[in-house]
Structures are given as C-alpha cells and as structure tokens.
Short mmCIF file of all heavy atoms in Angstrom, two decimals:
data_model
loop_
_atom_site.label_atom_id
_atom_site.label_comp_id
_atom_site.label_asym_id
_atom_site.label_seq_id
_atom_site.Cartn_x
_atom_site.Cartn_y
_atom_site.Cartn_z
N MET A 297 126.75 89.14 48.45
CA MET A 297 127.44 88.92 49.73
C MET A 297 126.95 89.92 50.75
O MET A 297 126.38 90.96 50.42
CB MET A 297 128.95 89.05 49.55
CG MET A 297 129.35 90.51 49.37
SD MET A 297 131.08 90.83 49.05
CE MET A 297 131.92 89.45 49.73
N SER A 298 127.14 89.62 51.99
CA SER A 298 126.75 90.52 53.06
C SER A 298 127.97 90.94 53.87
O SER A 298 128.92 90.18 54.01
CB SER A 298 125.76 89.83 54.01
OG SER A 298 124.59 89.50 53.32
N ILE A 299 127.88 92.15 54.35
CA ILE A 299 128.88 92.63 55.30
C ILE A 299 128.20 92.70 56.65
O ILE A 299 127.18 93.37 56.81
CB ILE A 299 129.39 94.02 54.90
CG1 ILE A 299 129.96 93.98 53.48
CG2 ILE A 299 130.45 94.50 55.90
CD1 ILE A 299 130.23 95.36 52.91
N ILE A 300 128.71 91.99 57.60
CA ILE A 300 128.08 91.90 58.90
C ILE A 300 128.99 92.54 59.94
O ILE A 300 130.15 92.14 60.09
CB ILE A 300 127.80 90.43 59.27
CG1 ILE A 300 126.88 89.82 58.20
CG2 ILE A 300 127.16 90.33 60.65
CD1 ILE A 300 126.95 88.32 58.14
N TYR A 301 128.43 93.52 60.63
CA TYR A 301 129.18 94.20 61.69
C TYR A 301 128.82 93.56 63.02
O TYR A 301 127.66 93.48 63.38
CB TYR A 301 128.82 95.68 61.72
CG TYR A 301 129.32 96.45 60.52
CD1 TYR A 301 128.57 96.53 59.37
CD2 TYR A 301 130.56 97.08 60.55
CE1 TYR A 301 129.04 97.22 58.25
CE2 TYR A 301 131.02 97.77 59.46
CZ TYR A 301 130.27 97.84 58.31
OH TYR A 301 130.73 98.52 57.22
N THR A 302 129.84 93.14 63.72
CA THR A 302 129.64 92.49 65.01
C THR A 302 130.49 93.19 66.05
O THR A 302 131.61 93.62 65.77
CB THR A 302 130.07 91.01 64.93
OG1 THR A 302 129.40 90.41 63.83
CG2 THR A 302 129.71 90.26 66.19
N CYS A 303 129.95 93.33 67.25
CA CYS A 303 130.73 93.94 68.32
C CYS A 303 131.83 92.98 68.74
O CYS A 303 131.58 91.81 69.03
CB CYS A 303 129.84 94.28 69.51
SG CYS A 303 130.79 94.98 70.87
N ARG A 304 133.04 93.49 68.79
CA ARG A 304 134.17 92.64 69.15
C ARG A 304 134.21 92.34 70.63
O ARG A 304 134.96 91.47 71.06
CB ARG A 304 135.47 93.28 68.70
CG ARG A 304 135.73 94.63 69.33
CD ARG A 304 137.03 95.21 68.83
NE ARG A 304 138.16 94.46 69.30
CZ ARG A 304 139.33 94.38 68.69
NH1 ARG A 304 139.49 94.99 67.56
NH2 ARG A 304 140.31 93.68 69.19
N HIS A 305 133.44 93.06 71.41
CA HIS A 305 133.50 92.88 72.86
C HIS A 305 132.39 91.97 73.36
O HIS A 305 132.64 91.07 74.14
CB HIS A 305 133.45 94.23 73.56
CG HIS A 305 134.68 95.05 73.30
ND1 HIS A 305 135.86 94.82 73.95
CD2 HIS A 305 134.90 96.06 72.43
CE1 HIS A 305 136.77 95.68 73.49
NE2 HIS A 305 136.22 96.43 72.57
N CYS A 306 131.15 92.22 72.93
CA CYS A 306 130.05 91.41 73.43
C CYS A 306 129.50 90.46 72.38
O CYS A 306 128.68 89.60 72.69
CB CYS A 306 128.93 92.30 73.98
SG CYS A 306 128.11 93.29 72.71
N GLY A 307 129.94 90.59 71.13
CA GLY A 307 129.52 89.66 70.11
C GLY A 307 128.17 89.97 69.48
O GLY A 307 127.69 89.24 68.63
N GLN A 308 127.58 91.07 69.87
CA GLN A 308 126.28 91.44 69.34
C GLN A 308 126.39 91.86 67.88
O GLN A 308 127.32 92.57 67.50
CB GLN A 308 125.72 92.59 70.17
CG GLN A 308 124.35 93.08 69.70
CD GLN A 308 123.92 94.33 70.44
OE1 GLN A 308 124.15 94.46 71.64
NE2 GLN A 308 123.34 95.26 69.73
N GLU A 309 125.41 91.43 67.07
CA GLU A 309 125.39 91.87 65.69
C GLU A 309 124.82 93.27 65.63
O GLU A 309 123.72 93.53 66.07
CB GLU A 309 124.55 90.92 64.84
CG GLU A 309 124.63 91.28 63.36
CD GLU A 309 123.87 90.28 62.47
OE1 GLU A 309 124.01 89.07 62.69
OE2 GLU A 309 123.14 90.75 61.60
N ILE A 310 125.60 94.21 65.07
CA ILE A 310 125.21 95.62 65.05
C ILE A 310 124.43 95.93 63.78
O ILE A 310 123.48 96.70 63.80
CB ILE A 310 126.46 96.50 65.16
CG1 ILE A 310 127.15 96.24 66.50
CG2 ILE A 310 126.10 97.97 65.01
CD1 ILE A 310 128.56 96.77 66.56
N GLY A 311 124.82 95.34 62.69
CA GLY A 311 124.12 95.62 61.45
C GLY A 311 124.70 94.81 60.32
O GLY A 311 125.77 94.21 60.46
N ALA A 312 123.99 94.79 59.21
CA ALA A 312 124.48 94.04 58.06
C ALA A 312 124.13 94.79 56.79
O ALA A 312 123.10 95.46 56.71
CB ALA A 312 123.85 92.65 58.03
N LEU A 313 125.01 94.72 55.82
CA LEU A 313 124.80 95.36 54.53
C LEU A 313 124.89 94.31 53.44
O LEU A 313 125.72 93.41 53.52
CB LEU A 313 125.89 96.40 54.26
CG LEU A 313 126.00 97.60 55.20
CD1 LEU A 313 127.30 98.34 54.88
CD2 LEU A 313 124.82 98.53 55.00
N ASP A 314 124.03 94.44 52.45
CA ASP A 314 124.17 93.59 51.27
C ASP A 314 124.92 94.36 50.21
O ASP A 314 124.52 95.45 49.82
CB ASP A 314 122.79 93.19 50.74
CG ASP A 314 122.18 92.09 51.58
OD1 ASP A 314 122.92 91.18 51.98
OD2 ASP A 314 120.97 92.17 51.85
N GLN A 315 126.01 93.81 49.76
CA GLN A 315 126.86 94.49 48.80
C GLN A 315 127.27 93.52 47.71
O GLN A 315 127.58 92.37 47.98
CB GLN A 315 128.14 95.00 49.48
CG GLN A 315 127.90 96.14 50.46
CD GLN A 315 127.57 97.44 49.77
OE1 GLN A 315 128.07 97.70 48.70
NE2 GLN A 315 126.74 98.25 50.38
N ASP A 316 127.28 94.04 46.47
CA ASP A 316 127.82 93.22 45.38
C ASP A 316 129.34 93.26 45.40
O ASP A 316 130.00 92.28 45.13
CB ASP A 316 127.32 93.74 44.03
CG ASP A 316 125.83 93.52 43.87
OD1 ASP A 316 125.31 92.57 44.48
OD2 ASP A 316 125.20 94.31 43.17
N VAL A 317 129.84 94.44 45.72
CA VAL A 317 131.28 94.61 45.75
C VAL A 317 131.65 95.27 47.08
O VAL A 317 130.99 96.22 47.50
CB VAL A 317 131.76 95.53 44.59
CG1 VAL A 317 133.26 95.75 44.67
CG2 VAL A 317 131.37 94.93 43.26
N VAL A 318 132.66 94.74 47.70
CA VAL A 318 133.10 95.35 48.95
C VAL A 318 134.18 96.37 48.64
O VAL A 318 135.21 96.05 48.03
CB VAL A 318 133.65 94.28 49.91
CG1 VAL A 318 134.22 94.95 51.15
CG2 VAL A 318 132.53 93.33 50.31
N ASP A 319 133.91 97.59 49.03
CA ASP A 319 134.86 98.66 48.81
C ASP A 319 135.52 98.97 50.16
O ASP A 319 134.86 99.43 51.09
CB ASP A 319 134.12 99.88 48.28
CG ASP A 319 135.06 101.05 48.00
OD1 ASP A 319 136.20 101.04 48.52
OD2 ASP A 319 134.64 101.97 47.28
N THR A 320 136.78 98.69 50.25
CA THR A 320 137.45 98.88 51.53
C THR A 320 137.48 100.34 51.95
O THR A 320 137.49 100.66 53.13
CB THR A 320 138.89 98.35 51.48
OG1 THR A 320 139.57 98.96 50.39
CG2 THR A 320 138.90 96.84 51.32
N THR A 321 137.44 101.26 50.97
CA THR A 321 137.40 102.67 51.32
C THR A 321 136.10 103.02 52.03
O THR A 321 136.07 103.72 53.03
CB THR A 321 137.53 103.53 50.06
OG1 THR A 321 138.70 103.12 49.36
CG2 THR A 321 137.62 104.99 50.40
N MET A 322 135.00 102.46 51.50
CA MET A 322 133.69 102.70 52.09
C MET A 322 133.66 102.19 53.53
O MET A 322 133.05 102.79 54.40
CB MET A 322 132.63 101.99 51.25
CG MET A 322 131.23 102.14 51.78
SD MET A 322 130.14 100.99 50.91
CE MET A 322 130.52 99.48 51.78
N LEU A 323 134.29 101.09 53.76
CA LEU A 323 134.27 100.48 55.09
C LEU A 323 135.18 101.21 56.07
O LEU A 323 135.10 100.99 57.26
CB LEU A 323 134.71 99.01 55.01
CG LEU A 323 133.82 98.12 54.15
CD1 LEU A 323 134.45 96.74 54.06
CD2 LEU A 323 132.43 98.02 54.72
N GLY A 324 136.06 102.02 55.54
CA GLY A 324 137.00 102.72 56.40
C GLY A 324 138.18 101.86 56.80
O GLY A 324 138.99 102.26 57.63
N ILE A 325 138.27 100.68 56.21
CA ILE A 325 139.34 99.79 56.63
C ILE A 325 140.64 100.01 55.85
O ILE A 325 141.66 99.43 56.19
CB ILE A 325 138.92 98.31 56.50
CG1 ILE A 325 138.50 97.99 55.07
CG2 ILE A 325 137.80 98.00 57.49
CD1 ILE A 325 138.08 96.55 54.89
N ASP A 326 140.56 100.87 54.83
CA ASP A 326 141.79 101.14 54.08
C ASP A 326 142.77 101.97 54.91
O ASP A 326 143.95 102.03 54.60
CB ASP A 326 141.47 101.87 52.78
CG ASP A 326 140.79 103.21 53.02
OD1 ASP A 326 139.91 103.27 53.89
OD2 ASP A 326 141.16 104.20 52.38
N LYS A 327 142.26 102.57 55.97
CA LYS A 327 143.13 103.38 56.82
C LYS A 327 143.85 102.54 57.87
O LYS A 327 144.72 103.03 58.57
CB LYS A 327 142.31 104.47 57.51
CG LYS A 327 141.70 105.47 56.54
CD LYS A 327 140.94 106.55 57.28
CE LYS A 327 140.34 107.55 56.31
NZ LYS A 327 139.31 106.93 55.44
N LEU A 328 143.46 101.31 57.97
CA LEU A 328 144.07 100.45 58.98
C LEU A 328 145.32 99.77 58.42
O LEU A 328 145.46 99.60 57.22
CB LEU A 328 143.07 99.37 59.41
CG LEU A 328 141.77 99.88 60.01
CD1 LEU A 328 140.83 98.72 60.23
CD2 LEU A 328 142.03 100.60 61.30
N SER A 329 146.16 99.37 59.31
CA SER A 329 147.32 98.61 58.87
C SER A 329 146.89 97.20 58.50
O SER A 329 145.79 96.75 58.84
CB SER A 329 148.35 98.54 59.98
OG SER A 329 147.91 97.66 60.99
N ILE A 330 147.74 96.50 57.82
CA ILE A 330 147.42 95.13 57.40
C ILE A 330 147.12 94.26 58.62
O ILE A 330 146.19 93.47 58.63
CB ILE A 330 148.59 94.54 56.60
CG1 ILE A 330 148.85 95.44 55.39
CG2 ILE A 330 148.30 93.09 56.23
CD1 ILE A 330 148.80 94.81 54.06
N GLY A 331 147.90 94.43 59.64
CA GLY A 331 147.69 93.62 60.83
C GLY A 331 146.34 93.89 61.47
O GLY A 331 145.65 92.96 61.88
N GLU A 332 145.97 95.15 61.53
CA GLU A 332 144.68 95.51 62.11
C GLU A 332 143.54 94.96 61.28
O GLU A 332 142.54 94.49 61.81
CB GLU A 332 144.57 97.03 62.23
CG GLU A 332 145.45 97.61 63.31
CD GLU A 332 145.60 99.12 63.18
OE1 GLU A 332 145.26 99.66 62.12
OE2 GLU A 332 146.06 99.72 64.15
N THR A 333 143.69 95.05 59.96
CA THR A 333 142.64 94.56 59.08
C THR A 333 142.44 93.07 59.27
O THR A 333 141.32 92.57 59.33
CB THR A 333 143.01 94.84 57.61
OG1 THR A 333 143.29 96.23 57.48
CG2 THR A 333 141.88 94.48 56.69
N LYS A 334 143.50 92.34 59.40
CA LYS A 334 143.40 90.90 59.59
C LYS A 334 142.67 90.56 60.88
O LYS A 334 141.95 89.58 60.96
CB LYS A 334 144.80 90.27 59.62
CG LYS A 334 145.33 89.92 58.25
CD LYS A 334 146.64 89.17 58.40
CE LYS A 334 147.27 88.93 57.04
NZ LYS A 334 148.68 88.55 57.20
N GLU A 335 142.91 91.37 61.88
CA GLU A 335 142.26 91.11 63.16
C GLU A 335 140.78 91.45 63.12
O GLU A 335 139.97 90.79 63.76
CB GLU A 335 142.91 91.95 64.26
CG GLU A 335 144.03 91.24 64.96
CD GLU A 335 144.57 92.08 66.09
OE1 GLU A 335 143.78 92.76 66.76
OE2 GLU A 335 145.79 92.04 66.31
N MET A 336 140.44 92.48 62.39
CA MET A 336 139.07 92.99 62.42
C MET A 336 138.14 92.30 61.45
O MET A 336 136.94 92.25 61.67
CB MET A 336 139.06 94.47 62.05
CG MET A 336 139.45 95.40 63.15
SD MET A 336 139.35 97.07 62.51
CE MET A 336 137.69 97.09 61.87
N ILE A 337 138.67 91.86 60.34
CA ILE A 337 137.83 91.42 59.24
C ILE A 337 138.03 89.94 58.98
O ILE A 337 139.14 89.45 58.90
CB ILE A 337 138.15 92.22 57.97
CG1 ILE A 337 137.91 93.70 58.25
CG2 ILE A 337 137.30 91.75 56.80
CD1 ILE A 337 138.43 94.59 57.17
N HIS A 338 136.92 89.26 58.91
CA HIS A 338 136.97 87.83 58.68
C HIS A 338 136.12 87.50 57.46
O HIS A 338 134.94 87.82 57.42
CB HIS A 338 136.47 87.07 59.90
CG HIS A 338 137.28 87.37 61.12
ND1 HIS A 338 138.45 86.71 61.41
CD2 HIS A 338 137.11 88.28 62.09
CE1 HIS A 338 138.94 87.22 62.53
NE2 HIS A 338 138.16 88.16 62.97
N PHE A 339 136.73 86.88 56.48
CA PHE A 339 136.01 86.46 55.29
C PHE A 339 135.48 85.07 55.51
O PHE A 339 136.23 84.12 55.75
CB PHE A 339 136.94 86.52 54.08
CG PHE A 339 137.38 87.92 53.75
CD1 PHE A 339 138.55 88.43 54.28
CD2 PHE A 339 136.60 88.72 52.93
CE1 PHE A 339 138.96 89.73 53.99
CE2 PHE A 339 137.00 90.02 52.63
CZ PHE A 339 138.17 90.52 53.16
N LYS A 340 134.17 84.94 55.43
CA LYS A 340 133.56 83.64 55.68
C LYS A 340 133.55 82.81 54.41
O LYS A 340 133.68 83.33 53.30
CB LYS A 340 132.13 83.83 56.19
CG LYS A 340 132.08 84.60 57.50
CD LYS A 340 130.66 84.65 58.03
CE LYS A 340 130.61 85.35 59.37
NZ LYS A 340 129.24 85.33 59.91
N GLN A 341 133.32 81.53 54.59
CA GLN A 341 133.35 80.62 53.45
C GLN A 341 132.22 80.89 52.47
O GLN A 341 132.34 80.63 51.29
CB GLN A 341 133.27 79.17 53.94
CG GLN A 341 134.59 78.71 54.58
CD GLN A 341 134.54 77.26 54.96
OE1 GLN A 341 133.47 76.71 55.17
NE2 GLN A 341 135.71 76.63 55.08
N ASN A 342 131.11 81.43 52.94
CA ASN A 342 129.98 81.71 52.05
C ASN A 342 130.12 83.06 51.34
O ASN A 342 129.21 83.49 50.64
CB ASN A 342 128.66 81.65 52.83
CG ASN A 342 128.58 82.73 53.90
OD1 ASN A 342 129.47 83.55 54.05
ND2 ASN A 342 127.50 82.72 54.65
N GLY A 343 131.24 83.74 51.52
CA GLY A 343 131.47 85.00 50.83
C GLY A 343 131.13 86.22 51.67
O GLY A 343 131.43 87.33 51.28
N ASP A 344 130.46 86.01 52.78
CA ASP A 344 130.16 87.13 53.66
C ASP A 344 131.43 87.65 54.31
O ASP A 344 132.42 86.93 54.46
CB ASP A 344 129.19 86.72 54.76
CG ASP A 344 127.78 86.51 54.22
OD1 ASP A 344 127.54 86.84 53.05
OD2 ASP A 344 126.94 86.00 54.97
N VAL A 345 131.36 88.92 54.68
CA VAL A 345 132.49 89.53 55.37
C VAL A 345 132.02 89.95 56.75
O VAL A 345 131.03 90.67 56.90
CB VAL A 345 133.00 90.77 54.61
CG1 VAL A 345 134.21 91.38 55.32
CG2 VAL A 345 133.35 90.39 53.18
N ALA A 346 132.68 89.48 57.77
CA ALA A 346 132.35 89.85 59.14
C ALA A 346 133.37 90.87 59.62
O ALA A 346 134.58 90.65 59.54
CB ALA A 346 132.36 88.62 60.04
N ILE A 347 132.88 92.02 60.08
CA ILE A 347 133.75 93.07 60.55
C ILE A 347 133.50 93.29 62.03
O ILE A 347 132.36 93.48 62.46
CB ILE A 347 133.51 94.38 59.77
CG1 ILE A 347 133.76 94.10 58.29
CG2 ILE A 347 134.42 95.49 60.29
CD1 ILE A 347 133.62 95.32 57.42
N GLN A 348 134.56 93.26 62.78
CA GLN A 348 134.43 93.44 64.22
C GLN A 348 134.63 94.90 64.58
O GLN A 348 135.69 95.47 64.33
CB GLN A 348 135.44 92.57 64.94
CG GLN A 348 135.13 91.10 64.75
CD GLN A 348 135.93 90.25 65.69
OE1 GLN A 348 137.14 90.41 65.82
NE2 GLN A 348 135.28 89.33 66.35
N VAL A 349 133.59 95.49 65.13
CA VAL A 349 133.64 96.89 65.56
C VAL A 349 133.23 96.93 67.03
O VAL A 349 133.35 95.94 67.74
CB VAL A 349 132.74 97.76 64.67
CG1 VAL A 349 133.32 97.84 63.27
CG2 VAL A 349 131.33 97.23 64.63
N ILE A 350 132.75 98.06 67.46
CA ILE A 350 132.32 98.16 68.86
C ILE A 350 130.91 98.73 68.89
O ILE A 350 130.61 99.68 68.18
CB ILE A 350 133.31 98.99 69.69
CG1 ILE A 350 132.90 99.01 71.15
CG2 ILE A 350 133.47 100.40 69.14
CD1 ILE A 350 133.99 99.51 72.07
N CYS A 351 130.04 98.13 69.69
CA CYS A 351 128.66 98.57 69.73
C CYS A 351 128.51 99.74 70.70
O CYS A 351 129.42 100.06 71.46
CB CYS A 351 127.73 97.42 70.11
SG CYS A 351 127.84 96.94 71.84
N GLU A 352 127.31 100.33 70.66
CA GLU A 352 127.09 101.54 71.44
C GLU A 352 127.23 101.27 72.93
O GLU A 352 127.81 102.06 73.67
CB GLU A 352 125.69 102.08 71.11
CG GLU A 352 125.56 103.56 71.33
CD GLU A 352 124.26 104.09 70.74
OE1 GLU A 352 123.99 103.78 69.56
OE2 GLU A 352 123.54 104.77 71.46
N SER A 353 126.67 100.17 73.38
CA SER A 353 126.68 99.92 74.83
C SER A 353 128.10 99.65 75.32
O SER A 353 128.48 100.10 76.40
CB SER A 353 125.75 98.76 75.19
OG SER A 353 126.13 97.59 74.53
N CYS A 354 128.89 98.96 74.53
CA CYS A 354 130.27 98.72 74.93
C CYS A 354 131.07 100.03 74.87
O CYS A 354 131.94 100.27 75.71
CB CYS A 354 130.92 97.67 74.04
SG CYS A 354 130.33 96.01 74.37
N GLU A 355 130.76 100.85 73.87
CA GLU A 355 131.44 102.13 73.77
C GLU A 355 131.14 102.98 75.00
O GLU A 355 132.04 103.60 75.57
CB GLU A 355 130.99 102.85 72.49
CG GLU A 355 131.89 104.01 72.13
CD GLU A 355 131.53 104.58 70.77
OE1 GLU A 355 130.43 104.29 70.28
OE2 GLU A 355 132.35 105.30 70.22
N ASN A 356 129.89 102.98 75.40
CA ASN A 356 129.52 103.74 76.60
C ASN A 356 130.22 103.18 77.84
O ASN A 356 130.68 103.94 78.70
CB ASN A 356 128.00 103.70 76.79
CG ASN A 356 127.28 104.53 75.75
OD1 ASN A 356 127.87 105.42 75.14
ND2 ASN A 356 126.02 104.22 75.52
N ALA A 357 130.28 101.88 77.92
CA ALA A 357 130.97 101.26 79.06
C ALA A 357 132.43 101.66 79.08
O ALA A 357 133.01 101.90 80.14
CB ALA A 357 130.83 99.74 78.98
N LEU A 358 133.02 101.75 77.91
CA LEU A 358 134.44 102.11 77.84
C LEU A 358 134.65 103.57 78.20
O LEU A 358 135.70 103.93 78.74
CB LEU A 358 134.98 101.82 76.43
CG LEU A 358 135.15 100.33 76.17
CD1 LEU A 358 135.28 100.07 74.68
CD2 LEU A 358 136.37 99.81 76.89
N GLU A 359 133.65 104.39 77.89
CA GLU A 359 133.77 105.79 78.29
C GLU A 359 133.75 105.92 79.81
O GLU A 359 134.39 106.79 80.39
CB GLU A 359 132.63 106.62 77.68
CG GLU A 359 132.91 106.97 76.24
CD GLU A 359 131.75 107.75 75.60
OE1 GLU A 359 130.86 108.18 76.35
OE2 GLU A 359 131.77 107.91 74.39
N ASP A 360 133.01 105.02 80.45
CA ASP A 360 132.98 105.02 81.91
C ASP A 360 134.26 104.45 82.49
O ASP A 360 134.60 104.70 83.64
CB ASP A 360 131.79 104.19 82.41
CG ASP A 360 130.47 104.86 82.06
OD1 ASP A 360 130.47 106.07 81.80
OD2 ASP A 360 129.44 104.16 82.03
N HIS A 361 134.95 103.66 81.69
CA HIS A 361 136.18 103.01 82.16
C HIS A 361 137.27 103.22 81.13
O HIS A 361 137.65 102.29 80.42
CB HIS A 361 135.93 101.50 82.38
CG HIS A 361 134.80 101.22 83.30
ND1 HIS A 361 134.92 101.29 84.67
CD2 HIS A 361 133.52 100.88 83.04
CE1 HIS A 361 133.75 100.99 85.21
NE2 HIS A 361 132.88 100.74 84.26
N PRO A 362 137.77 104.44 81.03
CA PRO A 362 138.71 104.78 79.95
C PRO A 362 139.99 103.96 79.97
O PRO A 362 140.65 103.85 78.94
CB PRO A 362 139.02 106.27 80.19
CG PRO A 362 138.11 106.73 81.27
CD PRO A 362 137.49 105.56 81.92
N HIS A 363 140.33 103.41 81.10
CA HIS A 363 141.57 102.65 81.15
C HIS A 363 141.51 101.40 80.27
O HIS A 363 142.52 100.82 79.95
CB HIS A 363 141.93 102.27 82.59
CG HIS A 363 140.88 101.45 83.26
ND1 HIS A 363 139.76 102.02 83.82
CD2 HIS A 363 140.77 100.12 83.45
CE1 HIS A 363 139.01 101.05 84.34
NE2 HIS A 363 139.59 99.90 84.13
N TYR A 364 140.29 100.99 79.90
CA TYR A 364 140.16 99.84 79.00
C TYR A 364 140.84 100.12 77.66
O TYR A 364 141.23 99.21 76.97
CB TYR A 364 138.69 99.51 78.74
CG TYR A 364 138.01 98.80 79.87
CD1 TYR A 364 138.67 98.56 81.07
CD2 TYR A 364 136.70 98.35 79.75
CE1 TYR A 364 138.03 97.91 82.10
CE2 TYR A 364 136.05 97.70 80.78
CZ TYR A 364 136.72 97.48 81.96
OH TYR A 364 136.09 96.84 82.98
N HIS A 365 140.93 101.39 77.33
CA HIS A 365 141.51 101.73 76.04
C HIS A 365 142.96 101.28 75.93
O HIS A 365 143.48 101.09 74.85
CB HIS A 365 141.44 103.25 75.80
CG HIS A 365 140.08 103.70 75.38
ND1 HIS A 365 139.63 103.65 74.08
CD2 HIS A 365 139.06 104.20 76.09
CE1 HIS A 365 138.39 104.10 74.02
NE2 HIS A 365 138.02 104.45 75.22
N GLU A 366 143.60 101.14 77.06
CA GLU A 366 144.99 100.70 77.02
C GLU A 366 145.11 99.23 76.67
O GLU A 366 146.17 98.74 76.33
CB GLU A 366 145.65 100.94 78.39
CG GLU A 366 145.68 102.41 78.75
CD GLU A 366 146.02 102.61 80.21
OE1 GLU A 366 146.45 101.65 80.85
OE2 GLU A 366 145.82 103.74 80.71
N LEU A 367 144.01 98.52 76.80
CA LEU A 367 144.06 97.07 76.64
C LEU A 367 143.68 96.60 75.25
O LEU A 367 143.87 95.45 74.92
CB LEU A 367 143.11 96.41 77.65
CG LEU A 367 143.35 96.79 79.10
CD1 LEU A 367 142.29 96.13 79.98
CD2 LEU A 367 144.74 96.35 79.54
N ASP A 368 143.12 97.49 74.45
CA ASP A 368 142.61 96.99 73.18
C ASP A 368 142.72 98.07 72.12
O ASP A 368 143.09 99.19 72.39
CB ASP A 368 141.15 96.58 73.37
CG ASP A 368 140.80 95.36 72.52
OD1 ASP A 368 141.38 95.24 71.43
OD2 ASP A 368 139.97 94.57 72.96
N PHE A 369 142.35 97.70 70.92
CA PHE A 369 142.39 98.61 69.80
C PHE A 369 140.98 99.06 69.47
O PHE A 369 140.06 98.27 69.46
CB PHE A 369 142.99 97.93 68.57
CG PHE A 369 142.71 98.66 67.29
CD1 PHE A 369 143.44 99.78 66.97
CD2 PHE A 369 141.71 98.23 66.44
CE1 PHE A 369 143.18 100.48 65.80
CE2 PHE A 369 141.46 98.91 65.27
CZ PHE A 369 142.18 100.02 64.95
N PHE A 370 140.80 100.37 69.21
CA PHE A 370 139.49 100.88 68.89
C PHE A 370 139.53 101.71 67.61
O PHE A 370 140.51 102.40 67.35
CB PHE A 370 138.94 101.73 70.02
CG PHE A 370 138.73 100.93 71.27
CD1 PHE A 370 139.68 100.90 72.25
CD2 PHE A 370 137.58 100.17 71.38
CE1 PHE A 370 139.50 100.13 73.38
CE2 PHE A 370 137.39 99.39 72.50
CZ PHE A 370 138.34 99.37 73.51
N ILE A 371 138.43 101.66 66.91
CA ILE A 371 138.28 102.52 65.75
C ILE A 371 138.08 103.95 66.21
O ILE A 371 137.30 104.21 67.10
CB ILE A 371 137.07 102.07 64.91
CG1 ILE A 371 137.29 100.63 64.47
CG2 ILE A 371 136.86 102.99 63.71
CD1 ILE A 371 136.09 100.06 63.76
N GLN A 372 138.75 104.84 65.60
CA GLN A 372 138.62 106.24 65.97
C GLN A 372 137.33 106.82 65.46
O GLN A 372 136.91 106.52 64.38
CB GLN A 372 139.78 107.05 65.40
CG GLN A 372 141.13 106.62 65.94
CD GLN A 372 141.23 106.79 67.43
OE1 GLN A 372 140.95 107.87 67.94
NE2 GLN A 372 141.60 105.75 68.15
ZN1 ZN B 591 129.28 95.29 72.49
#
C-alpha cells in the first residue's frame, strides 16, 4: 500500500511512501483526535491511504496571512 500526502489547500501531491504496514505513530496521527483523523485521512478502495497536510507554498502563504489560522486546522 502507499501513503500519499496531499496538500489540503491546493491539492498538490507532496509525497508518497510505500508501506507494508501503516503505523499511526510514525505518521504522527495518533496525537490527533478521532474527529481530526477522520478529516485528514482517507482510506482508498485500493488500500492506499491519503493524508491531507499542508505544502510548503501554502504554509508560506499562511505565514503571510496569519489570520487564516483562525479558519482552519493545521498540524503543529
Ligand atoms: Zn498547498
């Protein structure tokens, strides 16, 4: 299976990992609440896992516009 990281803001694919076993600790998602995990992680029918994160360019844009942080959830 693959773990695919996609930017939640612009939809750009940031990276992908091939994993036999998905370890939620490795992904850092064990620290999230159940609700957050459901929003961020999508299990595809082919077994791949899509994780929505934020890409560098969107992160930079948000630093220029910090008020965006009030509108959405971000990984620390
Ligand atoms: Zn982005």
